[in-house]
């Protein structure tokens, strides 16, 4: 064998070892983002998840057995929402968290690389909105046009902030036409701000509207007329690049899909397991919340959700002076067929997608 051929053979052997090291069964392997998701979960693989609503129902749905049978160990964290999850990501205390779509944008803008691996939507998103606009007692707002000149609670880094900007856009108004009052939405901060008339209008979770209107005589609310039903599971990019964790997340996405559909089919059980037992609501209130939010659905394609996310990213980039962002870089579509396969005939198309 010539020296050149011997060198080539040696190089090929090195490459073969390198490729083998990236194989699906190597728990230490780094998985390229373009590579197929591994089929087998290596022994001892653990994923750290902030997904409390799904955590609450797995046992009742019998889906915890699917995870254990596949060799998936889960460390649960009582974390959901953008600010908490991004903080946990930066501390490397979490792999994935359940959020709306806005946190993935702010993670990117603040230097935390994440990937969306799960998308769900509302089965009837305009009839069952996540948010409505609460109106302070004595303030007249009967339509979006009436927002002109009003003081509106606004949190730039939260889903509520993006919603406010989208509402203004729909109403044909700009930030100059209203007074945005910087106020982070934590606990009942928006309800209190409305009740004390610190603001005229604030986006409130739909489940809080009745409580707010009962607490403050003369308070009111109006719908936004905007879809706000995006719901995702997003993960650290380094977690989906870990071959072992990617394999475990593939299993989890399938299980999570089934759990979401189980919630639709067992609303009373879901209300008790999550809103009563986990969140501390009274049974009647828990049942009302489940009814207010309506059924969730698995889209047959992520195309429409990505399109809406891009529109939101473009709006926020303009209104909040962020860099332009290609949201396709934030989505890992390898998981798309995993959830649609798990949903089977229950996937939705058309306007709900």
């Amino acid at each position: 064998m010539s020296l050149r051929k011997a060198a080539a053979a040696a190089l090929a052997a090195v490459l073969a070892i390198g490729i083998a090291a990236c194989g699906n069964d190597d728990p230490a392997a780094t998985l390229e983002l373009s590579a197929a998701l591994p089929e087998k979960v290596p022994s001892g693989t653990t994923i750290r998840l902030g997904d409390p609503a799904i955590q609450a129902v797995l046992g009742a749905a019998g889906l915890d057995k699917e995870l254990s049978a596949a060799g998936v160990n889960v460390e649960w964290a009582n974390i959901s929402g953008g600010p908490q999850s991004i903080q946990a990501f930066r501390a490397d205390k979490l792999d994935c968290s359940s959020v709306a779509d806005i946190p993935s944008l702010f993670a990117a803008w603040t230097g935390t690389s994440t990937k969306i691996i799960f998308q769900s939507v509302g089965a009837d998103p305009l009839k069952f909105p996540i948010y409505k606009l609460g109106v302070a007692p004595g303030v007249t707002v009967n339509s979006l046009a009436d927002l002109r000149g009003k003081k509106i609670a606004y949190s730039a880094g939260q889903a509520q902030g993006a919603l406010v900007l989208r509402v203004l856009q729909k109403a044909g108004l700009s930030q100059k036409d209203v007074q945005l009052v910087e106020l982070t939405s934590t606990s009942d901060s928006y309800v209190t701000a409305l009740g004390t008339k610190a603001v005229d209008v604030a986006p409130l979770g739909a489940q809080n509207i009745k409580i707010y209107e009962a607490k403050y005589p003369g308070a009111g609310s109006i719908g936004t007329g905007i879809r706000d039903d995006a719901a995702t599971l997003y993960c650290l990019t380094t977690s989906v690049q870990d071959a072992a964790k990617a394999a475990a997340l593939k299993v989890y996405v399938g299980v999570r899909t089934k759990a979401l559909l189980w919630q639709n089919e067992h609303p009373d059980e879901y209300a008790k397991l999550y809103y009563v037992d986990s969140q501390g609501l009274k049974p009647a209130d828990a049942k009302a919340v489940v009814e207010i939010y309506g059924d969730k659905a698995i889209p047959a394609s992520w195309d429409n959700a990505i399109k809406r996310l891009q529109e939101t990213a473009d709006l926020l980039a303009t209104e909040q002076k962020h860099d332009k962002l290609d949201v396709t870089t934030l989505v890992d579509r390898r998981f798309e067929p995993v959830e649609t396969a798990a949903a089977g005939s229950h996937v939705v198309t058309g306007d709900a997608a």
Side-chain angles (χ1 to χ4, degrees), residues 3-353:
L3 183 61
R4 179 176 295 177
K5 289 183 178 180
L11 178 60
V14 171
L15 290 174
I17 292 172
I19 292 171
C22 292
N24 294 343
D25 296 329
D26 182 356
T30 296
L31 185 72
E32 295 296 330
L33 293 174
S34 58
L37 294 172
E39 294 294 332
K40 184 179 179 182
V41 180
S43 176
T45 301
T46 297
I47 48 177
R48 303 162 300 172
L49 304 177
D51 202 4
I54 298 299
Q55 177 190 0
V57 304
L58 288 180
L63 294 168
D64 54 340
K65 297 177 182 177
E66 286 196 29
L67 291 176
S68 58
V72 178
N73 300 315
V74 180
E75 288 183 2
W76 297 103
N78 189 24
I79 290 175
S80 62
Q84 276 190 318
S85 59
I86 292 175
Q87 183 178 13
F89 286 156
R90 289 174 179 164
D92 194 22
K93 299 296 184 182
L94 195 68
D95 291 311
C96 308
S97 183
S98 57
V99 291
D101 53 356
I102 304 303
S104 63
L105 302 178
F106 281 94
W109 281 323
T110 55
T112 300
S113 181
T114 64
K115 298 291 182 185
I116 291 172
I117 69 166
F118 187 97
Q119 302 262 13
S120 62
V121 294
D124 195 341
L126 295 183
K127 183 178 179 181
F128 297 99
I130 304 300
Y131 295 102
K132 296 183 73 175
L133 296 180
V135 180
V139 175
T140 301
V141 176
N142 297 316
S143 70
L144 298 186
D146 294 333
L147 294 175
R148 184 183 295 275
K150 300 298 189 293
K151 294 181 294 183
I152 304 176
Y154 177 70
S155 178
Q158 295 184 281
Q160 293 94 325
L163 178 69
V164 166
L165 294 179
R166 293 174 64 205
V167 166
L168 293 179
Q169 184 183 53
K170 183 179 179 66
L173 302 173
S174 72
Q175 294 188 45
K176 295 180 181 179
D177 296 315
V178 299
Q179 182 182 344
L180 296 182
V181 179
E182 289 282 350
L183 180 64
T184 301
S185 177
T186 56
S187 185
D188 61 350
S189 59
Y190 277 11
V191 168
T192 301
L194 285 168
T196 59
K197 300 185 181 181
V199 296
D200 300 317
V201 177
L204 298 180
Q207 82 278 10
N208 292 324
I209 292 295
K210 287 185 178 180
I211 297 173
Y212 164 62
E213 292 178 347
K215 185 175 182 179
Y216 296 101
S221 63
I222 64 169
T224 66
I226 289 177
R227 291 192 65 158
D228 59 4
D229 58 315
T232 77
L233 187 74
Y234 78 146
C235 309
L236 276 172
T237 299
T238 53
S239 295
V240 296
Q241 288 177 315
D242 180 308
K245 289 188 177 184
L249 289 171
K250 180 180 180 181
V251 174
Y252 185 69
V253 164
V255 166
R256 191 179 199 272
T257 300
K258 296 174 186 176
L260 208 64
L261 297 175
W262 184 91
Q263 291 175 11
N264 291 342
E265 296 166 359
H266 303 81
D268 292 341
E269 289 176 77
Y270 172 50
K272 180 183 185 304
L273 289 167
Y274 180 56
Y275 288 108
V276 176
D277 295 347
S278 177
Q279 300 299 301
L281 271 65
K282 295 179 180 178
D285 293 335
K287 183 177 180 180
V289 169
V290 171
E291 291 174 351
I292 286 169
Y293 281 150
D295 286 349
K296 306 307 176 187
I298 304 300
S301 167
W302 289 5
D303 287 348
N304 289 345
I306 293 171
K307 178 177 180 289
R308 289 192 291 271
L309 182 59
Q310 186 66 63
E311 291 170 351
T312 301
D314 291 344
L315 175 63
L316 294 181
T318 299
E319 296 294 326
Q320 297 180 352
K321 311 304 179 186
H322 294 294
D323 293 335
K324 289 289 185 180
L325 190 60
D326 177 2
V327 302
T328 62
T329 64
L330 309 181
V331 181
D332 191 336
R333 298 192 75 160
R334 294 176 299 174
F335 292 90
E336 181 178 8
V338 177
E339 71 172 23
T340 54
S345 62
H346 293 284
V347 295
V348 296
T349 57
D351 189 56

